[in-house]
Amino acid sequence: MNNPDGSIAIQFSNVTYRTADGRPLLAHLNLQVLTGETLVLLGRSGSGKTTTLKLINNLLACQEGQVIVEGKSTNDWDPIRLRRHIGYAIQEVGLFPHMNVEKNVALVPQLEGWAAEKIHGRVEELLALVGLPPAEFRRRYPHQLSGGQRQRVGLARALAADPPILLMDEPFGALDPVTRADIQREFKALQQRMHKTVVFVTHDVREAMFLGNRIAVLEKGALQGVYSPTEFLQSKDPVVAEYANVLRSEMEFMQEVRKASR
Amino acid sequence: MNLVQFFAAHWSEIMRSAFEHIRMVMIAMLLAAGTGIPLGIFATRWRSLRAPVLGISNMIQTIPSLALFGFLLPVPWLAERSSRLAIVALALYSLLPIVRNTYAGIMGVDPAVREVGRGMGMTGAQLLWRVEMPLAMSTILAGIRVATVIAVGVATIAAAIGAGGLGEFVFRGVAMVDNQFILAGAIPAAVLALTADFTLGLLQKRLQRHN
Ligand SMILES: Nc1ncnc2c1ncn2[C@@H]1O[C@H](COP(=O)(O)OP(=O)(O)OP(=O)(O)O)[C@@H](O)[C@H]1O
Ligand SMILES: [Mg+2]
């Protein structure tokens, strides 16, 4: 992280989000994301992680409280400007099926009216950055890529216009563990150079520990707490302890396996 | 005189009628697509338009085609030229499959894909032209394909109001109880319908490739 003055990029103040029929999906959420940090939103399926993320780029609007991005409430941002200011990468459907890799990655710069040569250069640079040789992949369509390659393209696309903020919704889900570990490592190295403000959604504890400067735990639409990786492991909070126990028992199991094989 | 000799003897007349026929259908399809696609798009944008737009184009199609030609006869500007009237009637008749498929094609775009587009900061128009329309295009084309095949058939009836086309042979044959005349209209019309179906089918397949 590179944020000596501790400035705040995103702030949730007392945010409640309800569905059309009045059921609250998020209740009284207070959370700050510091400029340049990677904040992981960790929680079970249905705990409200995606909902939280969509409140940041105004795909959803909360009924109570406010979400403040770079000092301005999302209600006061022009939604188009806000979204182009924020990179967005999601799992599965992420890429447009009718556009090849180059067009997908070039999309936001194009919407922003960059010159063709500048876009071309940027696409080459990004594809190389995420480990896809441009000459080989530029013209391929999403259905001609493996899951891991698609997620790399999704990452390149989110980075295309160099937005200061990145929202990532389980961007490395549905990958085999080896590929997943690779791409996590690359992303971490990348982030150590980029210093973007990243909000990263996952339900994988190990991913959260590995990538997060801080981990925000969501449970049934409420914030359970925000922890550094060390605090996370030591927390007495029952919900958090459960996650930590998963890690601990995995580690114990590995040690047993190792002992047995000696 | 057998059929081959009949075709040879009337060749230039058949070709002239076939071109009249093609011209009528093509202009009518351009007209139908030019109004049907925007109507379909509007129906996806404003919910209140959905029922009337789909309902009216549905209703038009339930009118027997000969009756539709008849209904339009008293309309001033249209009735001046019978081919003009025929083209408008054909276009009206072709509206339903185009409107319906445009609507269905756009509504059928995965909501998650649409949301990604919005999340990337696309405006409504950018979303429509860069995402929704390209993804709906093969469905829209399927509608145009159906409409064209129907229009080729219905256009033979236009001869009843003196608009020309291959129907002239059919009507003459019916009046003279002469099968060769009927076939001289029916066979080229069938060939036209099949050709249109095949060509538009190819185009549709090409568009579908990456979806
Ligand atoms: N439009 C909606 N209308 C009603 N309920 C919704 C809507 N969208 C989401 N929900 C519900 O809100 C809850 C939170 O959803 P959300 O997508 O934020 O969960 P999540 O933490 O991202 O889960 P996952 O890990 O499975 O992606 C879920 O119970 C879900 O069923
Ligand atoms: Mg989710």
Side-chain angles (χ1 to χ4, degrees), chain A residues 165-180:
Chain A
I165 299 174
L166 275 184
L167 306 181
M168 307 181 76
D169 197 345
E170 297 185 47
F172 311 143
L175 288 184
D176 69 85
V178 180
T179 310
R180 185 169 182 151

Side-chain angles (χ1 to χ4, degrees), chain A residues 54 57 59 80 83-84 86 88 90 93-94 96-99 104 107-108 110-111 141 143-144 157, chain B residues 110 112-124 126-127 130-132 134-135 209-211:
Chain A
K54 286 180 182 170
N57 64 2
L59 283 177
I80 304 297
R83 291 169 193 158
R84 294 204 191 151
I86 298 177
Y88 187 41
I90 65 171
V93 284
F96 293 117
H98 61 294
M99 296 182 189
N104 262 291
L107 193 67
V108 178
Q110 234 174 31
L111 297 178
Y141 283 83
H143 72 96
Q144 298 165 325
R157 186 178 65 176
Chain B
D110 187 344
V113 170
R114 197 176 283 131
E115 189 166 61
V116 171
R118 290 211 301 136
M120 293 177 71
M122 287 190 182
T123 61
Q126 286 165 342
L127 199 61
R130 288 169 187 253
V131 177
E132 294 177 310
L135 288 173
R209 218 177 17 178
H210 297 298
N211 299 348

Side-chain angles (χ1 to χ4, degrees), chain B residues 49-88:
Chain B
L49 278 181
R50 198 195 80 102
V53 164
L54 289 178
I56 290 170
S57 28
N58 203 350
M59 199 189 68
I60 294 173
Q61 232 197 12
T62 61
I63 303 173
S65 41
L66 192 55
L68 184 58
F69 286 114
F71 285 146
L72 293 177
L73 272 176
V75 181
W77 180 78
L78 284 183
E80 268 169 43
R81 294 234 315 255
S82 49
S83 65
R84 191 184 285 165
L85 190 152
I87 286 168
V88 170

Side-chain angles (χ1 to χ4, degrees), chain B residues 172-189:
Chain B
R172 242 193 287 170
V174 171
M176 292 157 45
V177 198
D178 182 336
N179 273 342
Q180 286 184 329
F181 264 103
I182 295 180
L183 289 174
I187 293 174

Side-chain angles (χ1 to χ4, degrees), chain A residues 17 19-21 23 25 43-52 54 60 169-170 201 203 218:
Chain A
Y17 176 81
T19 55
D21 55 15
R23 196 162 50 92
L25 298 186
R44 298 195 199 198
S45 191
S47 58
K49 306 183 293 295
T50 299
T51 307
T52 306
K54 286 180 182 170
L60 298 174
D169 197 345
E170 297 185 47
V201 164
H203 48 228
L218 276 179

Side-chain angles (χ1 to χ4, degrees), chain B residues 21 24-25 28-29 32 68-69 72 85-95 147 150-156 158:
Chain B
H21 206 94
M24 245 187 316
V25 170
M29 289 332 290
L68 184 58
F69 286 114
L72 293 177
L85 190 152
I87 286 168
V88 170
L90 281 179
L92 283 173
Y93 219 64
S94 309
L95 221 46
I150 296 174
V152 170
V154 173
T156 53

Side-chain angles (χ1 to χ4, degrees), chain A residues 45-105:
Chain A
S45 191
S47 58
K49 306 183 293 295
T50 299
T51 307
T52 306
L53 214 57
K54 286 180 182 170
L55 284 166
I56 299 173
N57 64 2
N58 203 253
L59 283 177
L60 298 174
C62 56
Q63 293 86 351
E64 288 167 41
Q66 53 182 346
V67 183
I68 296 162
V69 175
E70 296 185 348
K72 197 155 80 174
S73 161
T74 51
N75 298 322
D76 301 334
W77 274 87
D78 166 17
I80 304 297
R81 289 254 53 83
L82 175 70
R83 291 169 193 158
R84 294 204 191 151
H85 196 72
I86 298 177
Y88 187 41
I90 65 171
Q91 199 194 327
E92 287 163 33
V93 284
L95 301 179
F96 293 117
H98 61 294
M99 296 182 189
N100 63 22
V101 168
E102 176 163 28
K103 294 220 171 84
N104 262 291
V105 176

